[in-house]
Amino acid sequence: MGATAFQSERSAIPLIDVDADDAVRAFHLLGGRKVINQTVRNSLDAHDVIVKGISSKALLHLVDTVSVLSSGDALNKAIGMSLRTLQRKKADKGKDRLSPEQSSRAWRFAELLAQATDVLGDQDAAEAWMLAPAIGLDNRRPIDLLSSAAGAEAVENALTRMEYGVYA
């Protein structure tokens, strides 16, 4: 995904960042400015937050608002973290930061959940879809594919096909 900005004729200030919606929705799923302590307006801002490492508090917020992450090994597949590690972070009250890899995976999961919510109509339907075998993914569960960048891209592509009415 490349950031594309459109400019007005009167100035060189970008009016619309095409990637902003995904980045901003992920930002809100992770707790927004109240939890992340930085504003995210576009993909470049998201990159800066991810490289610095999102706070454990943001991950805890995501887990609290997304029930699918509490079931089975979904957290490990989506974020690369065990439930036991999450419990330790909760005991520390979310004071430390995730690694850039875990931050990236958490952010990517939030973006994909936001996209699935748009396509399927609400977050409950999106979470259910993440746990069910999907025809467009060779009957694999989307959550199972999130452990690799290629798998996450396959999930994103499947959602895009669904959005446009192409399921195979």
Side-chain angles (χ1 to χ4, degrees):
M1 294 170 124
T4 305
F6 298 96
Q7 297 178 344
S8 71
E9 293 176 1
R10 291 180 288 186
S11 72
I13 299 171
L15 296 178
I16 301 169
D17 183 341
V18 176
D19 289 339
D21 286 341
D22 289 341
V24 170
R25 290 182 303 175
F27 174 67
H28 289 296
L29 278 169
L30 289 161
R33 184 168 175 76
K34 185 170 125 182
V35 174
I36 294 180
N37 298 324
Q38 184 175 335
T39 301
V40 173
R41 297 175 306 261
N42 55 43
S43 296
L44 292 175
D45 290 344
H47 168 79
D48 293 342
V49 169
I50 291 166
V51 169
K52 187 169 77 172
I54 64 172
S55 70
S56 295
K57 196 174 177 182
L59 177 63
L60 294 171
H61 182 272
L62 181 67
V63 171
D64 286 345
T65 58
V66 180
S67 62
V68 71
L69 290 175
S70 301
S71 63
D73 60 348
L75 181 68
N76 192 27
K77 289 179 178 181
I79 314 296
M81 180 181 293
S82 69
L83 284 173
R84 180 65 192 121
T85 300
L86 179 71
Q87 291 167 347
R88 280 194 299 275
K89 290 188 178 300
K90 198 176 276 190
D92 292 341
K93 296 186 179 20
K95 293 178 184 172
D96 62 342
R97 295 197 171 278
L98 302 180
S99 70
E101 171 67 23
Q102 289 172 327
S103 297
S104 182
R105 288 179 65 177
W107 198 279
R108 182 75 165 143
F109 173 80
E111 285 180 326
L112 288 170
L113 181 64
Q115 183 183 6
T117 300
D118 284 350
V119 170
L120 299 169
D122 64 47
Q123 187 171 323
D124 289 337
E127 289 185 39
W129 180 80
M130 287 281 191
L131 293 175
I135 292 170
L137 296 169
D138 291 335
N139 286 320
R140 297 181 194 198
R141 297 182 332 150
I143 196 78
D144 294 337
L145 297 171
L146 299 182
S147 59
S148 74
E153 185 177 349
V155 171
E156 180 182 14
N157 291 339
L159 286 166
T160 300
R161 288 191 312 268
M162 289 170 61
E163 184 177 9
Y164 289 101
V166 181
Y167 293 96

